């Protein structure tokens, strides 16, 4: 991955386009790691989260290291021409190893088996990284190449072997990952299968767009031809897109369920608005700390708790006669038994809220009726009640008005 863009030695003004591409890819990868680590204390206890973030961070570092601007800076700081090459190739090999480790943790299994597979992956790539450093030290690569090192040194002893070694190591990890994803995708469904397909798509793009083009360009140099454009123009953007697809495949199946839960929380929070506006004046629940950082689920939990508190306070005002009239009217209108019950409860609640707001005395013999919303878990019952209140059906409104008039004149 080191050495993309147009072939040129060190020097020149401006920012090479390839640097912008890989820096953008690195930034997007880093952002996904930040999202996964939004709760560091709990995240570090989860091997899957840790391995996912390690893989993403290593992928981001590979892109940063392979940018011509970074290569030039590393070479200048170390005083060693092309020192950025083994650094990038070693980082890419570590990234390849981390992908295998991540897949092992993602698939799971007995702890001892997972541990053994992880150690095998590490044992395979640690010597590879060491060999890359040794071969670079033995080779003659004194002419700095920021963008076309793979093809420029394709025929240089030891450096040639170093280039082949990092490519073979990356290919082995990618093909192993593809094989495991194909096998696993036959056993799973839903978001996990979608994630595996994204990983396969990114891996295939990496194989065809990055690895195959690198092999072709290097082999062309062996036979006296110049296909450097494949290595410098095609490979970098293909590698960037492939890595982003792979990261999306790993991250989305873990983030989408949480995001969907937050969206459902926001939807239910808003749908409870009509009910909350009716009963909020009697709720004694403590107010939560305000701030934009409060998640929709947290806001929903507080609203649900506050509504239940208000319903308890309004219970002495519940009038069974109001509910009975509204129930009969709803049944006559052709509503199902459940719909009629909710409409009747909405009428009784609206009547109770009006009389409590007017500071009327509670009923001498209040109803012992239990609302459907208090019998079911979750917010579904409260949402049904809230939706029945806005707008209140005409029969229920009439029943509630009759109940209010009867209470004031009776």
């Amino acid at each position: 991955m080191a050495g993309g863009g147009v072939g040129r030695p060190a020097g020149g003004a401006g920012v090479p386009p390839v640097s912008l591409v890989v820096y953008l890819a690195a930034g997007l990868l880093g952002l996904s790691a930040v999202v996964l680590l939004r709760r560091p204390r709990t995240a570090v206890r989860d091997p899957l989260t840790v391995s996912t973030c390690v893989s993403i961070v290593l992928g981001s570092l590979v892109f940063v290291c392979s940018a011509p601007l970074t290569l030039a800076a590393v070479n200048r700081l170390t005083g060693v021409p092309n020192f950025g090459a083994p650094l990038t190739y070693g980082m890419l090999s570590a990234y390849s190893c981390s992908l295998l480790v991540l897949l092992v943790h993602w698939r799971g299994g007995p702890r001892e088996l997972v541990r053994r597979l992880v150690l095998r992956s590490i044992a395979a790539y640690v010597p590879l990284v060491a060999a890359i450093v040794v071969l670079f030290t033995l080779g003659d690569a004194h002419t700095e190449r920021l963008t076309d090192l793979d093809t420029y040194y394709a025929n240089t002893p030891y450096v040639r072997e170093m280039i082949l070694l990092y490519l073979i190591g990356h290919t082995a990890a990618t093909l192993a990952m593809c094989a495991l994803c194909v096998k696993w995708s036959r056993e799973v469904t839903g978001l996990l299968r979608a994630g595996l397909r994204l990983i396969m798509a990114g891996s295939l793009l990496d194989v065809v767009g990055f690895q195959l083009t690198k092999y072709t360009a290097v082999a062309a140099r062996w036979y006296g031809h110049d296909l450097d454009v494949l290595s410098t123009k095609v490979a970098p953007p293909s590698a960037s897109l492939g890595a982003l697809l792979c990261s999306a495949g790993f991250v989305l199946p873990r983030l989408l369920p949480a995001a969907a839960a937050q969206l459902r929380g926001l939807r239910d929070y808003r749908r409870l608005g009509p009910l909350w506006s009716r009963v909020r004046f009697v709720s004694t629940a403590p107010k939560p700390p305000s701030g934009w950082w409060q998640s929709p689920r947290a806001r929903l939990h507080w609203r649900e708790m506050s509504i239940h508190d208000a319903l308890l306070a309004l219970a002495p005002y519940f009038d069974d006669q109001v509910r009975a009239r509204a129930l009969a009217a709803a049944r006559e209108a052709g509503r199902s038994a459940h719909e009629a019950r909710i409409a009747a409860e909405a009428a009784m609640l609206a009547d109770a809220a009006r009389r409590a707001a007017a500071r009327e005395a509670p009923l001498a013999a209040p109803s012992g009726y239990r609302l459907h919303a208090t019998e079911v878990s979750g917010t579904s019952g409260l949402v049904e009640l809230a939706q029945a209140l806005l707008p209140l059906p005409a029969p229920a409104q009439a029943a509630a008005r009759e109940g209010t008039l009867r209470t004031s004149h009776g």
Side-chain angles (χ1 to χ4, degrees), residues 104-134:
V104 169
H105 281 298
W106 202 13
R107 176 135 198 192
R111 180 177 299 180
E112 187 59 32
L113 176 61
V114 170
R115 181 175 176 275
R116 186 165 60 249
L117 292 176
V118 168
L119 291 178
R120 284 180 182 176
S121 300
I122 295 174
Y125 278 87
V126 167
L128 187 145
V129 173
I132 287 174
V133 176
V134 171

Side-chain angles (χ1 to χ4, degrees), residues 197-210:
R197 288 177 176 174
L198 276 175
I199 294 171
M200 286 188 287
S203 300
L204 290 174
L205 182 59
D206 187 278
V207 169
V208 176
F210 174 73

Side-chain angles (χ1 to χ4, degrees), residues 193-364:
R193 175 180 285 183
L196 290 172
R197 288 177 176 174
L198 276 175
I199 294 171
M200 286 188 287
S203 300
L204 290 174
L205 182 59
D206 187 278
V207 169
V208 176
F210 174 73
Q211 298 170 32
L212 187 58
T213 56
K214 287 284 187 179
Y215 284 125
T216 303
V218 170
R221 281 285 187 148
W222 294 346
Y223 293 98
H225 302 290
D226 185 354
L227 293 179
D228 290 11
V229 66
L230 295 177
S231 177
T232 58
K233 289 285 190 179
V234 178
S238 299
S240 300
L241 183 57
L244 290 176
L245 286 175
C246 284
S247 296
F250 284 120
V251 171
L252 289 182
R254 306 199 63 204
L255 292 184
L256 280 182
Q262 294 296 341
L263 287 176
R264 288 193 299 269
L266 179 60
R267 179 199 63 191
D268 289 345
Y269 177 84
R270 290 176 174 174
R271 295 182 72 188
L272 287 177
L275 176 56
W276 176 236
S277 64
R278 293 289 187 107
V279 302
R280 63 187 304 173
F281 70 96
V282 295
S283 177
T284 59
K287 293 184 177 180
S290 59
W292 59 268
W293 59 86
Q294 293 293 322
S295 69
R297 294 283 295 174
R299 293 174 183 269
L300 174 64
H301 176 71
W302 175 82
R303 177 164 284 188
E304 180 184 2
M305 178 185 66
S306 300
I307 289 175
H308 279 295
D309 179 76
L311 293 178
L312 186 63
L314 289 174
Y317 293 91
F318 287 168
D319 190 336
D320 280 330
Q321 294 186 33
V322 173
R323 180 177 55 82
R325 282 193 297 272
L327 180 63
R331 294 303 298 270
E332 289 176 4
R335 295 197 165 200
S336 67
H338 180 70
E339 291 175 342
R341 177 184 179 181
I342 300 301
E345 291 177 355
M348 182 176 67
L349 177 61
D351 173 69
R354 280 194 297 270
R355 287 189 287 107
R359 299 184 180 276
E360 296 182 13
L363 296 178

Side-chain angles (χ1 to χ4, degrees), residues 15-25:
V15 179
V18 67
S19 292
L20 297 177
V21 172
V22 296
Y23 284 151
L24 177 61

Side-chain angles (χ1 to χ4, degrees), residues 350-388:
D351 173 69
R354 280 194 297 270
R355 287 189 287 107
R359 299 184 180 276
E360 296 182 13
L363 296 178
S367 170
Y369 181 81
R370 187 177 180 185
L371 296 174
H372 170 72
T374 62
E375 294 180 339
V376 296
S377 60
T379 59
S380 60
L382 290 177
V383 168
E384 286 183 307
L385 184 59
Q387 296 305 297

